[in-house]
Amino acid sequence: LVAGESVAALIKRRGRLGWEQVVELALEVVAGLEYLHASDMHHLALAPEKILLPRHTGAKIVDVRFERHKNLAFQSSANVTVDRASYLAPEQFKDDAQVGPRTDVYALGCVLYTMLTGRPPFVADDVNDLARRHRSEVPERVSRLALDCPIWLQTLIQQLLEKDPLKRPYSMSAVRLALEEIQKKMLAGVS
Protein backbone atom coordinates (compact mmCIF):
# COMPACT_ATOMS: atom_id res chain seq x y z
CA LEU A 1 0.00 0.00 0.00
CA VAL A 2 1.17 3.51 -0.81
CA ALA A 3 -0.17 6.47 1.16
CA GLY A 4 -0.80 9.15 -1.41
CA GLU A 5 -2.41 9.47 -4.82
CA SER A 6 -1.64 8.73 -8.44
CA VAL A 7 -0.69 11.34 -11.01
CA ALA A 8 -4.03 10.57 -12.69
CA ALA A 9 -5.91 11.47 -9.47
CA LEU A 10 -3.84 14.64 -9.08
CA ILE A 11 -4.66 15.71 -12.64
CA LYS A 12 -8.33 14.91 -12.11
CA ARG A 13 -8.35 17.04 -8.97
CA ARG A 14 -6.38 19.99 -10.39
CA GLY A 15 -7.16 19.86 -14.12
CA ARG A 16 -3.50 20.17 -15.10
CA LEU A 17 -0.14 20.71 -13.42
CA GLY A 18 2.25 23.63 -13.62
CA TRP A 19 5.31 23.06 -15.78
CA GLU A 20 7.74 23.40 -12.85
CA GLN A 21 6.01 20.57 -10.99
CA VAL A 22 5.90 18.51 -14.19
CA VAL A 23 9.68 18.84 -14.59
CA GLU A 24 10.27 17.77 -10.97
CA LEU A 25 7.95 14.76 -11.28
CA ALA A 26 9.40 13.85 -14.67
CA LEU A 27 12.91 13.67 -13.20
CA GLU A 28 11.67 11.24 -10.53
CA VAL A 29 9.85 9.07 -13.09
CA VAL A 30 12.85 9.08 -15.42
CA ALA A 31 15.10 7.91 -12.55
CA GLY A 32 12.78 4.92 -12.04
CA LEU A 33 12.68 4.14 -15.76
CA GLU A 34 16.48 4.45 -16.01
CA TYR A 35 16.80 1.85 -13.26
CA LEU A 36 14.30 -0.42 -14.99
CA HIS A 37 16.07 -0.12 -18.35
CA ALA A 38 19.47 -0.78 -16.72
CA SER A 39 17.93 -4.05 -15.50
CA ASP A 40 17.04 -4.87 -19.14
CA MET A 41 13.32 -4.38 -18.47
CA HIS A 42 10.77 -2.01 -19.98
CA HIS A 43 7.46 -0.85 -18.55
CA LEU A 44 5.55 -0.81 -21.86
CA ALA A 45 2.35 0.46 -20.21
CA LEU A 46 3.34 3.69 -18.46
CA ALA A 47 0.35 5.97 -17.76
CA PRO A 48 -0.58 8.61 -15.15
CA GLU A 49 -2.44 6.07 -13.00
CA LYS A 50 0.74 3.97 -12.80
CA ILE A 51 2.77 6.76 -11.21
CA LEU A 52 2.08 7.08 -7.50
CA LEU A 53 2.93 10.08 -5.36
CA PRO A 54 3.63 8.98 -1.77
CA ARG A 55 3.43 11.75 0.80
CA HIS A 56 7.06 11.89 1.93
CA THR A 57 9.08 10.38 -0.94
CA GLY A 58 9.48 10.75 -4.68
CA ALA A 59 7.22 9.39 -7.41
CA LYS A 60 6.91 5.60 -7.64
CA ILE A 61 6.25 3.64 -10.83
CA VAL A 62 3.95 0.66 -10.35
CA ASP A 63 2.66 -2.24 -12.47
CA VAL A 64 5.99 -3.39 -13.89
CA ARG A 65 5.30 -6.83 -15.37
CA PHE A 66 7.74 -9.29 -16.85
CA GLU A 67 5.02 -10.98 -18.92
CA ARG A 68 4.58 -7.85 -21.05
CA HIS A 69 7.85 -8.79 -22.72
CA LYS A 70 6.32 -12.07 -23.95
CA ASN A 71 3.28 -10.49 -25.58
CA LEU A 72 4.60 -7.24 -26.98
CA ALA A 73 2.30 -6.53 -29.90
CA PHE A 74 -1.06 -4.89 -29.90
CA GLN A 75 -3.33 -7.74 -30.91
CA SER A 76 -6.86 -6.42 -31.03
CA SER A 77 -9.09 -3.72 -29.69
CA ALA A 78 -10.65 -6.39 -27.45
CA ASN A 79 -7.62 -6.60 -25.14
CA VAL A 80 -6.74 -2.88 -24.90
CA THR A 81 -8.87 -0.17 -23.35
CA VAL A 82 -9.07 3.38 -24.67
CA ASP A 83 -7.35 4.62 -21.51
CA ARG A 84 -4.43 2.25 -22.03
CA ALA A 85 -4.20 2.94 -25.77
CA SER A 86 -3.89 6.67 -25.03
CA TYR A 87 -0.33 6.04 -23.78
CA LEU A 88 0.94 3.34 -26.14
CA ALA A 89 3.70 4.05 -28.65
CA PRO A 90 2.91 3.73 -32.38
CA GLU A 91 5.07 0.61 -32.66
CA GLN A 92 2.99 -1.16 -30.02
CA PHE A 93 0.02 -1.19 -32.38
CA LYS A 94 1.86 -3.35 -34.94
CA ASP A 95 1.80 -7.13 -35.13
CA ASP A 96 5.61 -7.27 -35.37
CA ALA A 97 6.22 -4.76 -32.58
CA GLN A 98 9.86 -3.90 -31.96
CA VAL A 99 9.77 -2.39 -28.49
CA GLY A 100 12.53 -1.20 -26.22
CA PRO A 101 13.60 1.76 -24.11
CA ARG A 102 12.31 4.21 -26.72
CA THR A 103 8.82 2.73 -26.35
CA ASP A 104 8.84 3.94 -22.75
CA VAL A 105 10.25 7.28 -23.97
CA TYR A 106 7.11 7.77 -26.09
CA ALA A 107 4.82 6.81 -23.20
CA LEU A 108 6.66 9.29 -20.97
CA GLY A 109 5.99 11.97 -23.59
CA CYS A 110 2.28 11.12 -23.46
CA VAL A 111 2.30 11.30 -19.65
CA LEU A 112 4.10 14.67 -19.61
CA TYR A 113 1.69 16.01 -22.23
CA THR A 114 -1.23 14.90 -20.04
CA MET A 115 0.25 16.46 -16.91
CA LEU A 116 0.71 19.81 -18.68
CA THR A 117 -2.57 19.95 -20.58
CA GLY A 118 -4.99 17.81 -18.56
CA ARG A 119 -5.57 15.40 -21.45
CA PRO A 120 -3.56 12.84 -23.47
CA PRO A 121 -2.04 13.88 -26.82
CA PHE A 122 -4.79 12.03 -28.69
CA VAL A 123 -8.40 11.58 -27.61
CA ALA A 124 -10.88 9.19 -29.23
CA ASP A 125 -13.73 6.89 -28.25
CA ASP A 126 -12.35 3.95 -30.22
CA VAL A 127 -9.06 2.09 -29.71
CA ASN A 128 -8.51 1.65 -33.46
CA ASP A 129 -8.98 5.39 -34.00
CA LEU A 130 -6.45 6.07 -31.24
CA ALA A 131 -4.02 3.62 -32.86
CA ARG A 132 -4.35 5.44 -36.20
CA ARG A 133 -3.77 8.81 -34.53
CA HIS A 134 -0.68 7.59 -32.66
CA ARG A 135 0.75 6.22 -35.92
CA SER A 136 -0.01 9.14 -38.23
CA GLU A 137 -1.08 12.40 -36.54
CA VAL A 138 0.99 15.06 -34.82
CA PRO A 139 -0.51 16.11 -31.48
CA GLU A 140 -1.51 19.71 -30.87
CA ARG A 141 1.37 21.73 -29.44
CA VAL A 142 1.49 21.75 -25.65
CA SER A 143 1.87 25.55 -25.63
CA ARG A 144 -1.51 25.95 -27.33
CA LEU A 145 -3.19 24.21 -24.38
CA ALA A 146 -0.81 25.27 -21.59
CA LEU A 147 0.25 28.82 -22.34
CA ASP A 148 2.85 28.89 -19.55
CA CYS A 149 4.83 25.92 -20.95
CA PRO A 150 8.35 27.04 -21.91
CA ILE A 151 9.54 26.36 -25.44
CA TRP A 152 12.36 24.03 -24.36
CA LEU A 153 9.93 21.76 -22.47
CA GLN A 154 7.54 21.76 -25.42
CA THR A 155 10.44 20.85 -27.73
CA LEU A 156 11.47 17.95 -25.49
CA ILE A 157 7.91 16.60 -25.43
CA GLN A 158 7.73 16.83 -29.23
CA GLN A 159 10.95 14.78 -29.41
CA LEU A 160 9.56 12.20 -26.99
CA LEU A 161 6.42 11.89 -29.16
CA GLU A 162 8.22 11.24 -32.45
CA LYS A 163 6.49 8.51 -34.47
CA ASP A 164 9.80 6.90 -35.49
CA PRO A 165 11.53 5.42 -32.42
CA LEU A 166 14.93 6.26 -33.95
CA LYS A 167 14.06 9.97 -33.84
CA ARG A 168 13.24 9.89 -30.12
CA PRO A 169 15.92 10.42 -27.46
CA TYR A 170 18.18 7.38 -27.35
CA SER A 171 17.67 6.58 -23.66
CA MET A 172 16.15 7.74 -20.42
CA SER A 173 19.60 9.10 -19.53
CA ALA A 174 19.34 11.48 -22.48
CA VAL A 175 15.85 12.50 -21.33
CA ARG A 176 17.18 13.06 -17.81
CA LEU A 177 19.96 15.32 -19.11
CA ALA A 178 17.43 17.39 -21.10
CA LEU A 179 15.16 17.69 -18.04
CA GLU A 180 18.10 18.72 -15.86
CA GLU A 181 18.93 21.49 -18.35
CA ILE A 182 15.30 22.65 -18.21
CA GLN A 183 15.46 22.58 -14.41
CA LYS A 184 18.66 24.69 -14.44
CA LYS A 185 16.92 27.27 -16.63
CA MET A 186 13.91 27.14 -14.32
CA LEU A 187 16.08 27.74 -11.22
CA ALA A 188 17.94 30.55 -13.00
CA GLY A 189 14.62 32.25 -13.76
CA VAL A 190 15.02 32.02 -17.53
CA SER A 191 11.64 32.38 -19.23
Side-chain angles (χ1 to χ4, degrees), residues 107-139:
L108 177 67
C110 291
V111 170
L112 297 182
Y113 190 102
T114 302
M115 286 195 273
L116 287 164
T117 66
R119 68 170 179 85
F122 303 105
V123 178
D125 294 328
D126 176 67
V127 172
N128 292 320
D129 190 30
L130 268 176
R132 181 189 56 76
R133 289 179 181 198
H134 277 287
R135 286 192 306 259
S136 62
E137 291 183 14
V138 176

PDB file of all heavy atoms in Angstrom, residues 107-139:
ATOM      1  N   ALA A 107       5.850   6.811 -24.240  1.00  0.00           N
ATOM      2  CA  ALA A 107       4.823   6.814 -23.196  1.00  0.00           C
ATOM      3  C   ALA A 107       5.067   7.941 -22.201  1.00  0.00           C
ATOM      4  O   ALA A 107       4.125   8.606 -21.756  1.00  0.00           O
ATOM      5  CB  ALA A 107       4.785   5.464 -22.482  1.00  0.00           C
ATOM      6  N   LEU A 108       6.337   8.175 -21.856  1.00  0.00           N
ATOM      7  CA  LEU A 108       6.665   9.288 -20.968  1.00  0.00           C
ATOM      8  C   LEU A 108       6.232  10.608 -21.593  1.00  0.00           C
ATOM      9  O   LEU A 108       5.679  11.474 -20.913  1.00  0.00           O
ATOM     10  CB  LEU A 108       8.159   9.307 -20.660  1.00  0.00           C
ATOM     11  CG  LEU A 108       8.627  10.477 -19.793  1.00  0.00           C
ATOM     12  CD1 LEU A 108       8.048  10.377 -18.382  1.00  0.00           C
ATOM     13  CD2 LEU A 108      10.148  10.538 -19.749  1.00  0.00           C
ATOM     14  N   GLY A 109       6.443  10.759 -22.893  1.00  0.00           N
ATOM     15  CA  GLY A 109       5.990  11.968 -23.588  1.00  0.00           C
ATOM     16  C   GLY A 109       4.484  12.154 -23.463  1.00  0.00           C
ATOM     17  O   GLY A 109       3.997  13.263 -23.224  1.00  0.00           O
ATOM     18  N   CYS A 110       3.742  11.061 -23.614  1.00  0.00           N
ATOM     19  CA  CYS A 110       2.278  11.125 -23.461  1.00  0.00           C
ATOM     20  C   CYS A 110       1.894  11.536 -22.038  1.00  0.00           C
ATOM     21  O   CYS A 110       0.974  12.338 -21.840  1.00  0.00           O
ATOM     22  CB  CYS A 110       1.653   9.774 -23.793  1.00  0.00           C
ATOM     23  SG  CYS A 110       1.742   9.294 -25.526  1.00  0.00           S
ATOM     24  N   VAL A 111       2.601  10.984 -21.049  1.00  0.00           N
ATOM     25  CA  VAL A 111       2.304  11.302 -19.649  1.00  0.00           C
ATOM     26  C   VAL A 111       2.611  12.773 -19.363  1.00  0.00           C
ATOM     27  O   VAL A 111       1.809  13.473 -18.734  1.00  0.00           O
ATOM     28  CB  VAL A 111       3.075  10.372 -18.696  1.00  0.00           C
ATOM     29  CG1 VAL A 111       2.971  10.835 -17.256  1.00  0.00           C
ATOM     30  CG2 VAL A 111       2.559   8.931 -18.823  1.00  0.00           C
ATOM     31  N   LEU A 112       3.754  13.265 -19.835  1.00  0.00           N
ATOM     32  CA  LEU A 112       4.103  14.675 -19.606  1.00  0.00           C
ATOM     33  C   LEU A 112       3.096  15.596 -20.292  1.00  0.00           C
ATOM     34  O   LEU A 112       2.688  16.617 -19.725  1.00  0.00           O
ATOM     35  CB  LEU A 112       5.519  14.961 -20.109  1.00  0.00           C
ATOM     36  CG  LEU A 112       6.663  14.214 -19.418  1.00  0.00           C
ATOM     37  CD1 LEU A 112       8.003  14.637 -20.003  1.00  0.00           C
ATOM     38  CD2 LEU A 112       6.630  14.408 -17.923  1.00  0.00           C
ATOM     39  N   TYR A 113       2.697  15.239 -21.493  1.00  0.00           N
ATOM     40  CA  TYR A 113       1.690  16.006 -22.227  1.00  0.00           C
ATOM     41  C   TYR A 113       0.397  16.083 -21.400  1.00  0.00           C
ATOM     42  O   TYR A 113      -0.193  17.153 -21.253  1.00  0.00           O
ATOM     43  CB  TYR A 113       1.428  15.323 -23.572  1.00  0.00           C
ATOM     44  CG  TYR A 113       0.600  16.113 -24.544  1.00  0.00           C
ATOM     45  CD1 TYR A 113       1.200  16.775 -25.609  1.00  0.00           C
ATOM     46  CD2 TYR A 113      -0.794  16.190 -24.428  1.00  0.00           C
ATOM     47  CE1 TYR A 113       0.446  17.497 -26.530  1.00  0.00           C
ATOM     48  CE2 TYR A 113      -1.551  16.904 -25.331  1.00  0.00           C
ATOM     49  CZ  TYR A 113      -0.938  17.556 -26.381  1.00  0.00           C
ATOM     50  OH  TYR A 113      -1.688  18.272 -27.287  1.00  0.00           O
ATOM     51  N   THR A 114      -0.010  14.955 -20.847  1.00  0.00           N
ATOM     52  CA  THR A 114      -1.234  14.898 -20.042  1.00  0.00           C
ATOM     53  C   THR A 114      -1.104  15.741 -18.780  1.00  0.00           C
ATOM     54  O   THR A 114      -2.036  16.460 -18.406  1.00  0.00           O
ATOM     55  CB  THR A 114      -1.571  13.441 -19.684  1.00  0.00           C
ATOM     56  OG1 THR A 114      -1.708  12.687 -20.893  1.00  0.00           O
ATOM     57  CG2 THR A 114      -2.846  13.336 -18.877  1.00  0.00           C
ATOM     58  N   MET A 115       0.054  15.676 -18.124  1.00  0.00           N
ATOM     59  CA  MET A 115       0.253  16.462 -16.908  1.00  0.00           C
ATOM     60  C   MET A 115       0.148  17.959 -17.206  1.00  0.00           C
ATOM     61  O   MET A 115      -0.424  18.714 -16.425  1.00  0.00           O
ATOM     62  CB  MET A 115       1.606  16.144 -16.270  1.00  0.00           C
ATOM     63  CG  MET A 115       1.641  14.804 -15.577  1.00  0.00           C
ATOM     64  SD  MET A 115       3.071  14.612 -14.478  1.00  0.00           S
ATOM     65  CE  MET A 115       4.306  14.016 -15.594  1.00  0.00           C
ATOM     66  N   LEU A 116       0.699  18.382 -18.337  1.00  0.00           N
ATOM     67  CA  LEU A 116       0.715  19.806 -18.676  1.00  0.00           C
ATOM     68  C   LEU A 116      -0.614  20.328 -19.198  1.00  0.00           C
ATOM     69  O   LEU A 116      -0.956  21.490 -18.990  1.00  0.00           O
ATOM     70  CB  LEU A 116       1.802  20.077 -19.724  1.00  0.00           C
ATOM     71  CG  LEU A 116       3.229  20.032 -19.206  1.00  0.00           C
ATOM     72  CD1 LEU A 116       4.211  19.915 -20.367  1.00  0.00           C
ATOM     73  CD2 LEU A 116       3.532  21.256 -18.356  1.00  0.00           C
ATOM     74  N   THR A 117      -1.357  19.479 -19.906  1.00  0.00           N
ATOM     75  CA  THR A 117      -2.573  19.945 -20.579  1.00  0.00           C
ATOM     76  C   THR A 117      -3.869  19.436 -19.951  1.00  0.00           C
ATOM     77  O   THR A 117      -4.937  19.961 -20.253  1.00  0.00           O
ATOM     78  CB  THR A 117      -2.581  19.510 -22.054  1.00  0.00           C
ATOM     79  OG1 THR A 117      -2.662  18.086 -22.125  1.00  0.00           O
ATOM     80  CG2 THR A 117      -1.338  20.004 -22.785  1.00  0.00           C
ATOM     81  N   GLY A 118      -3.787  18.384 -19.147  1.00  0.00           N
ATOM     82  CA  GLY A 118      -4.988  17.805 -18.560  1.00  0.00           C
ATOM     83  C   GLY A 118      -5.637  16.740 -19.422  1.00  0.00           C
ATOM     84  O   GLY A 118      -6.669  16.182 -19.063  1.00  0.00           O
ATOM     85  N   ARG A 119      -5.030  16.449 -20.582  1.00  0.00           N
ATOM     86  CA  ARG A 119      -5.565  15.396 -21.453  1.00  0.00           C
ATOM     87  C   ARG A 119      -4.422  14.752 -22.238  1.00  0.00           C
ATOM     88  O   ARG A 119      -3.385  15.382 -22.449  1.00  0.00           O
ATOM     89  CB  ARG A 119      -6.615  15.941 -22.404  1.00  0.00           C
ATOM     90  CG  ARG A 119      -6.073  16.902 -23.458  1.00  0.00           C
ATOM     91  CD  ARG A 119      -7.144  17.202 -24.501  1.00  0.00           C
ATOM     92  NE  ARG A 119      -6.719  18.117 -25.521  1.00  0.00           N
ATOM     93  CZ  ARG A 119      -6.045  17.773 -26.634  1.00  0.00           C
ATOM     94  NH1 ARG A 119      -5.703  16.528 -26.831  1.00  0.00           N
ATOM     95  NH2 ARG A 119      -5.710  18.667 -27.534  1.00  0.00           N
ATOM     96  N   PRO A 120      -4.609  13.500 -22.681  1.00  0.00           N
ATOM     97  CA  PRO A 120      -3.558  12.841 -23.470  1.00  0.00           C
ATOM     98  C   PRO A 120      -3.374  13.539 -24.828  1.00  0.00           C
ATOM     99  O   PRO A 120      -4.237  14.315 -25.263  1.00  0.00           O
ATOM    100  CB  PRO A 120      -4.083  11.416 -23.673  1.00  0.00           C
ATOM    101  CG  PRO A 120      -5.268  11.268 -22.805  1.00  0.00           C
ATOM    102  CD  PRO A 120      -5.746  12.629 -22.444  1.00  0.00           C
ATOM    103  N   PRO A 121      -2.281  13.239 -25.526  1.00  0.00           N
ATOM    104  CA  PRO A 121      -2.038  13.882 -26.823  1.00  0.00           C
ATOM    105  C   PRO A 121      -3.117  13.583 -27.861  1.00  0.00           C
ATOM    106  O   PRO A 121      -3.379  14.404 -28.732  1.00  0.00           O
ATOM    107  CB  PRO A 121      -0.694  13.326 -27.278  1.00  0.00           C
ATOM    108  CG  PRO A 121      -0.166  12.500 -26.186  1.00  0.00           C
ATOM    109  CD  PRO A 121      -1.184  12.386 -25.127  1.00  0.00           C
ATOM    110  N   PHE A 122      -3.719  12.411 -27.763  1.00  0.00           N
ATOM    111  CA  PHE A 122      -4.791  12.034 -28.692  1.00  0.00           C
ATOM    112  C   PHE A 122      -5.980  11.543 -27.890  1.00  0.00           C
ATOM    113  O   PHE A 122      -5.823  10.783 -26.937  1.00  0.00           O
ATOM    114  CB  PHE A 122      -4.321  10.929 -29.653  1.00  0.00           C
ATOM    115  CG  PHE A 122      -3.108  11.322 -30.441  1.00  0.00           C
ATOM    116  CD1 PHE A 122      -1.866  10.806 -30.130  1.00  0.00           C
ATOM    117  CD2 PHE A 122      -3.209  12.234 -31.478  1.00  0.00           C
ATOM    118  CE1 PHE A 122      -0.738  11.174 -30.841  1.00  0.00           C
ATOM    119  CE2 PHE A 122      -2.081  12.624 -32.200  1.00  0.00           C
ATOM    120  CZ  PHE A 122      -0.843  12.090 -31.874  1.00  0.00           C
ATOM    121  N   VAL A 123      -7.168  11.975 -28.301  1.00  0.00           N
ATOM    122  CA  VAL A 123      -8.398  11.585 -27.614  1.00  0.00           C
ATOM    123  C   VAL A 123      -9.346  11.006 -28.655  1.00  0.00           C
ATOM    124  O   VAL A 123      -9.538  11.583 -29.728  1.00  0.00           O
ATOM    125  CB  VAL A 123      -9.047  12.801 -26.916  1.00  0.00           C
ATOM    126  CG1 VAL A 123     -10.344  12.402 -26.238  1.00  0.00           C
ATOM    127  CG2 VAL A 123      -8.074  13.431 -25.917  1.00  0.00           C
ATOM    128  N   ALA A 124      -9.908   9.839 -28.347  1.00  0.00           N
ATOM    129  CA  ALA A 124     -10.884   9.191 -29.230  1.00  0.00           C
ATOM    130  C   ALA A 124     -11.707   8.221 -28.401  1.00  0.00           C
ATOM    131  O   ALA A 124     -11.314   7.833 -27.302  1.00  0.00           O
ATOM    132  CB  ALA A 124     -10.179   8.462 -30.372  1.00  0.00           C
ATOM    133  N   ASP A 125     -12.857   7.838 -28.941  1.00  0.00           N
ATOM    134  CA  ASP A 125     -13.730   6.886 -28.253  1.00  0.00           C
ATOM    135  C   ASP A 125     -13.423   5.452 -28.631  1.00  0.00           C
ATOM    136  O   ASP A 125     -13.926   4.525 -28.013  1.00  0.00           O
ATOM    137  CB  ASP A 125     -15.201   7.181 -28.577  1.00  0.00           C
ATOM    138  CG  ASP A 125     -15.641   8.528 -28.024  1.00  0.00           C
ATOM    139  OD1 ASP A 125     -15.124   8.934 -26.967  1.00  0.00           O
ATOM    140  OD2 ASP A 125     -16.493   9.177 -28.659  1.00  0.00           O
ATOM    141  N   ASP A 126     -12.610   5.269 -29.662  1.00  0.00           N
ATOM    142  CA  ASP A 126     -12.353   3.947 -30.219  1.00  0.00           C
ATOM    143  C   ASP A 126     -10.847   3.662 -30.198  1.00  0.00           C
ATOM    144  O   ASP A 126     -10.046   4.523 -30.570  1.00  0.00           O
ATOM    145  CB  ASP A 126     -12.903   3.912 -31.658  1.00  0.00           C
ATOM    146  CG  ASP A 126     -12.604   2.634 -32.362  1.00  0.00           C
ATOM    147  OD1 ASP A 126     -13.154   1.604 -31.945  1.00  0.00           O
ATOM    148  OD2 ASP A 126     -11.830   2.656 -33.327  1.00  0.00           O
ATOM    149  N   VAL A 127     -10.466   2.478 -29.786  1.00  0.00           N
ATOM    150  CA  VAL A 127      -9.059   2.087 -29.713  1.00  0.00           C
ATOM    151  C   VAL A 127      -8.402   2.125 -31.089  1.00  0.00           C
ATOM    152  O   VAL A 127      -7.270   2.595 -31.234  1.00  0.00           O
ATOM    153  CB  VAL A 127      -8.913   0.686 -29.071  1.00  0.00           C
ATOM    154  CG1 VAL A 127      -7.481   0.188 -29.162  1.00  0.00           C
ATOM    155  CG2 VAL A 127      -9.376   0.721 -27.627  1.00  0.00           C
ATOM    156  N   ASN A 128      -9.097   1.654 -32.109  1.00  0.00           N
ATOM    157  CA  ASN A 128      -8.514   1.646 -33.455  1.00  0.00           C
ATOM    158  C   ASN A 128      -8.281   3.060 -33.970  1.00  0.00           C
ATOM    159  O   ASN A 128      -7.288   3.322 -34.661  1.00  0.00           O
ATOM    160  CB  ASN A 128      -9.391   0.848 -34.423  1.00  0.00           C
ATOM    161  CG  ASN A 128      -9.384  -0.628 -34.078  1.00  0.00           C
ATOM    162  OD1 ASN A 128      -8.343  -1.184 -33.726  1.00  0.00           O
ATOM    163  ND2 ASN A 128     -10.537  -1.255 -34.141  1.00  0.00           N
ATOM    164  N   ASP A 129      -9.170   3.998 -33.626  1.00  0.00           N
ATOM    165  CA  ASP A 129      -8.976   5.394 -34.004  1.00  0.00           C
ATOM    166  C   ASP A 129      -7.762   5.970 -33.270  1.00  0.00           C
ATOM    167  O   ASP A 129      -6.963   6.706 -33.848  1.00  0.00           O
ATOM    168  CB  ASP A 129     -10.236   6.205 -33.703  1.00  0.00           C
ATOM    169  CG  ASP A 129     -10.181   7.609 -34.284  1.00  0.00           C
ATOM    170  OD1 ASP A 129      -9.524   7.803 -35.323  1.00  0.00           O
ATOM    171  OD2 ASP A 129     -10.799   8.507 -33.686  1.00  0.00           O
ATOM    172  N   LEU A 130      -7.614   5.623 -31.995  1.00  0.00           N
ATOM    173  CA  LEU A 130      -6.446   6.068 -31.242  1.00  0.00           C
ATOM    174  C   LEU A 130      -5.165   5.509 -31.857  1.00  0.00           C
ATOM    175  O   LEU A 130      -4.165   6.225 -31.977  1.00  0.00           O
ATOM    176  CB  LEU A 130      -6.542   5.619 -29.785  1.00  0.00           C
ATOM    177  CG  LEU A 130      -7.188   6.589 -28.815  1.00  0.00           C
ATOM    178  CD1 LEU A 130      -7.308   5.958 -27.439  1.00  0.00           C
ATOM    179  CD2 LEU A 130      -6.435   7.885 -28.728  1.00  0.00           C
ATOM    180  N   ALA A 131      -5.192   4.240 -32.241  1.00  0.00           N
ATOM    181  CA  ALA A 131      -4.018   3.616 -32.862  1.00  0.00           C
ATOM    182  C   ALA A 131      -3.632   4.368 -34.134  1.00  0.00           C
ATOM    183  O   ALA A 131      -2.455   4.667 -34.357  1.00  0.00           O
ATOM    184  CB  ALA A 131      -4.303   2.147 -33.173  1.00  0.00           C
ATOM    185  N   ARG A 132      -4.615   4.696 -34.957  1.00  0.00           N
ATOM    186  CA  ARG A 132      -4.354   5.436 -36.195  1.00  0.00           C
ATOM    187  C   ARG A 132      -3.751   6.798 -35.886  1.00  0.00           C
ATOM    188  O   ARG A 132      -2.784   7.224 -36.515  1.00  0.00           O
ATOM    189  CB  ARG A 132      -5.663   5.605 -36.986  1.00  0.00           C
ATOM    190  CG  ARG A 132      -5.491   6.357 -38.307  1.00  0.00           C
ATOM    191  CD  ARG A 132      -6.827   6.709 -38.952  1.00  0.00           C
ATOM    192  NE  ARG A 132      -7.711   7.489 -38.094  1.00  0.00           N
ATOM    193  CZ  ARG A 132      -7.565   8.789 -37.836  1.00  0.00           C
ATOM    194  NH1 ARG A 132      -6.570   9.465 -38.349  1.00  0.00           N
ATOM    195  NH2 ARG A 132      -8.425   9.425 -37.059  1.00  0.00           N
ATOM    196  N   ARG A 133      -4.276   7.480 -34.884  1.00  0.00           N
ATOM    197  CA  ARG A 133      -3.767   8.809 -34.531  1.00  0.00           C
ATOM    198  C   ARG A 133      -2.329   8.740 -34.013  1.00  0.00           C
ATOM    199  O   ARG A 133      -1.499   9.568 -34.363  1.00  0.00           O
ATOM    200  CB  ARG A 133      -4.674   9.471 -33.503  1.00  0.00           C
ATOM    201  CG  ARG A 133      -5.996   9.882 -34.096  1.00  0.00           C
ATOM    202  CD  ARG A 133      -6.898  10.515 -33.082  1.00  0.00           C
ATOM    203  NE  ARG A 133      -8.159  10.852 -33.719  1.00  0.00           N
ATOM    204  CZ  ARG A 133      -9.024  11.704 -33.216  1.00  0.00           C
ATOM    205  NH1 ARG A 133      -8.784  12.307 -32.071  1.00  0.00           N
ATOM    206  NH2 ARG A 133     -10.147  11.960 -33.854  1.00  0.00           N
ATOM    207  N   HIS A 134      -2.053   7.746 -33.169  1.00  0.00           N
ATOM    208  CA  HIS A 134      -0.682   7.591 -32.665  1.00  0.00           C
ATOM    209  C   HIS A 134       0.299   7.313 -33.806  1.00  0.00           C
ATOM    210  O   HIS A 134       1.435   7.775 -33.768  1.00  0.00           O
ATOM    211  CB  HIS A 134      -0.597   6.448 -31.642  1.00  0.00           C
ATOM    212  CG  HIS A 134      -0.992   6.846 -30.259  1.00  0.00           C
ATOM    213  ND1 HIS A 134      -0.206   7.638 -29.451  1.00  0.00           N
ATOM    214  CD2 HIS A 134      -2.093   6.555 -29.529  1.00  0.00           C
ATOM    215  CE1 HIS A 134      -0.807   7.813 -28.279  1.00  0.00           C
ATOM    216  NE2 HIS A 134      -1.950   7.167 -28.302  1.00  0.00           N
ATOM    217  N   ARG A 135      -0.141   6.574 -34.808  1.00  0.00           N
ATOM    218  CA  ARG A 135       0.747   6.215 -35.922  1.00  0.00           C
ATOM    219  C   ARG A 135       0.924   7.342 -36.930  1.00  0.00           C
ATOM    220  O   ARG A 135       1.968   7.426 -37.570  1.00  0.00           O
ATOM    221  CB  ARG A 135       0.223   4.972 -36.638  1.00  0.00           C
ATOM    222  CG  ARG A 135       0.430   3.692 -35.864  1.00  0.00           C
ATOM    223  CD  ARG A 135       0.161   2.464 -36.717  1.00  0.00           C
ATOM    224  NE  ARG A 135      -1.146   2.473 -37.345  1.00  0.00           N
ATOM    225  CZ  ARG A 135      -2.206   1.799 -36.924  1.00  0.00           C
ATOM    226  NH1 ARG A 135      -2.116   1.036 -35.860  1.00  0.00           N
ATOM    227  NH2 ARG A 135      -3.345   1.870 -37.571  1.00  0.00           N
ATOM    228  N   SER A 136      -0.086   8.212 -37.104  1.00  0.00           N
ATOM    229  CA  SER A 136      -0.009   9.141 -38.234  1.00  0.00           C
ATOM    230  C   SER A 136      -0.203  10.626 -37.915  1.00  0.00           C
ATOM    231  O   SER A 136       0.206  11.464 -38.705  1.00  0.00           O
ATOM    232  CB  SER A 136      -1.038   8.731 -39.298  1.00  0.00           C
ATOM    233  OG  SER A 136      -2.342   8.812 -38.770  1.00  0.00           O
ATOM    234  N   GLU A 137      -0.803  10.993 -36.804  1.00  0.00           N
ATOM    235  CA  GLU A 137      -1.082  12.404 -36.535  1.00  0.00           C
ATOM    236  C   GLU A 137      -0.056  13.018 -35.588  1.00  0.00           C
ATOM    237  O   GLU A 137       0.518  12.332 -34.744  1.00  0.00           O
ATOM    238  CB  GLU A 137      -2.476  12.572 -35.923  1.00  0.00           C
ATOM    239  CG  GLU A 137      -3.597  12.260 -36.892  1.00  0.00           C
ATOM    240  CD  GLU A 137      -4.973  12.508 -36.285  1.00  0.00           C
ATOM    241  OE1 GLU A 137      -5.073  13.168 -35.226  1.00  0.00           O
ATOM    242  OE2 GLU A 137      -5.948  12.028 -36.879  1.00  0.00           O
ATOM    243  N   VAL A 138       0.132  14.299 -35.732  1.00  0.00           N
ATOM    244  CA  VAL A 138       0.990  15.060 -34.820  1.00  0.00           C
ATOM    245  C   VAL A 138       0.067  15.698 -33.782  1.00  0.00           C
ATOM    246  O   VAL A 138      -0.918  16.342 -34.148  1.00  0.00           O
ATOM    247  CB  VAL A 138       1.771  16.149 -35.587  1.00  0.00           C
ATOM    248  CG1 VAL A 138       2.575  17.009 -34.630  1.00  0.00           C
ATOM    249  CG2 VAL A 138       2.660  15.512 -36.638  1.00  0.00           C
ATOM    250  N   PRO A 139       0.368  15.519 -32.488  1.00  0.00           N
ATOM    251  CA  PRO A 139      -0.514  16.115 -31.479  1.00  0.00           C
ATOM    252  C   PRO A 139      -0.443  17.636 -31.490  1.00  0.00           C
ATOM    253  O   PRO A 139       0.542  18.225 -31.932  1.00  0.00           O
ATOM    254  CB  PRO A 139       0.018  15.545 -30.164  1.00  0.00           C
ATOM    255  CG  PRO A 139       1.409  15.149 -30.442  1.00  0.00           C
ATOM    256  CD  PRO A 139       1.489  14.806 -31.890  1.00  0.00           C
TER     257      PRO A 139
END
